[in-house]
Amino acid sequence: MGIDRITTAYYRLPLEPSGDAGHGLLDLEELVTVAIHADGLVGHGYAYTIGRGGRAIRALVEHDLQPLLVRQSAEDVEGLWRRMWRGLLYVGRGGLAAFAIAAVDIALWDLRGLREERPLWAVAGGTARSIPAYGSGVDLPKPLDGLLRQVEGFLERGYRAVKVKIGKPDPSEDVARVEAVRRLVGDGVDLMVDANMAWTVDEALARGRGLVPFNPFWLEEPTVPEDVEGHARLARELPMPIAIGESLHAQAEFERYVAARAAGIVQIDPVTNGGITPSLRVLRLADAAGLPTSSHYTDELSAHLLCTSKNPIYLEKHAFALDAYLERPQVVTDGTVRPTDEPGTGMRFDTAALRPYQGE
Ligand SMILES: [Mg+2]
């Protein structure tokens, strides 16, 4: 018994053309789905990319992770995560390997929930609750009127917090956009800004100071993730909290940020962080440091995982919603989301909706 086999699929999902200051123009999301067959059950997981790397992730799962897992017991999820991490150590410790391990780890957590007939939030040790969500755009190329229409749409859907991209080449354009969004939403709505690692530390200091009059709720990814000390300086010298996490691919990276007091808000993404297993450890790390938590994309999984956190302030409702490809899209009620109550992740892809986008 134990793990019998792993099957994968690869999809190329078109995006409405969008973009940010760090990754440029985006018009394609890759989706790699993983199904683990074990003990008569099938656990489902996935990884995504923003246009490149998906085929390599799929190849790592099929050629390198599957042989490490077949005939192993599926029950020791943390042990299997260690086995995968050690197995890819020489080419891993982050990067694409983290995404491949994540896709498998998510499927193993789904299997754990199916086996125990409990939802993910319960098997992960959480308490189900509603978590405030914010509307999040990937909107740097949008002209100002398009940006404002998008933010109006977020408010109409009930969100009481919104995020916009910043990092235009001309700083005054960022100021004008953030000022216009603040004027539109008023003072009662939290407004986050996200630079997607575009700046040097000195640029981030100057740009961050220029946005202070508009009271940003947080400044996300102001500079490159390798520069922990730079983030610590920004955290000390800017009044708004620094939010990081989507570009950290190992638990050790989060540990460095927390130890250096380089982050004010910890954002998990169980795909880019290397799986549910490390994301849960990161949430414990944030709890121990007294830091509030949030999420990046992965809306459906993060609704479960944030229920294990002491202070989950916001879940990101991301512009690249997978709703069109899910059997049961996440429900937003009065700007909040709750985790699903069915066994496992509750997340099932609609293979008929995905089929036109299947790639090799
Ligand atoms: Mg971001």
Side-chain angles (χ1 to χ4, degrees), residues 163 165 194 196 220-221 246 296:
K163 188 168 82 187
K165 298 295 190 187
D194 186 355
N196 290 96
E220 182 169 325
E221 293 202 305
E246 71 181 83
H296 172 255

Side-chain angles (χ1 to χ4, degrees), residues 334-355:
D334 296 331
T336 69
V337 295
R338 281 184 74 85
T340 50
D341 278 321
E342 55 206 279
T345 66
M347 192 179 176
R348 291 292 178 268
F349 286 104
D350 177 346
T351 48
L354 283 173
R355 194 164 298 123

Side-chain angles (χ1 to χ4, degrees), residues 219-284:
L219 170 59
E220 182 169 325
E221 293 202 305
T223 189
V224 291
E226 293 79 9
D227 191 356
V228 180
E229 184 43 49
H231 281 83
R233 185 178 161 213
L234 294 169
R236 282 193 305 272
E237 297 188 21
L238 286 173
M240 70 287 271
I242 304 299
I244 52 90
E246 71 181 83
S247 300
L248 304 189
H249 303 322
Q251 184 185 333
E253 297 183 67
F254 283 95
E255 288 167 357
R256 283 182 215 117
Y257 271 81
V258 171
R261 298 177 187 274
I265 288 160
V266 172
Q267 298 168 304
I268 55 156
D269 179 328
V271 172
T272 67
N273 300 162
I276 288 172
T277 300
S279 286
L280 288 171
R281 292 184 182 140
V282 167
L283 291 172
R284 299 295 76 73

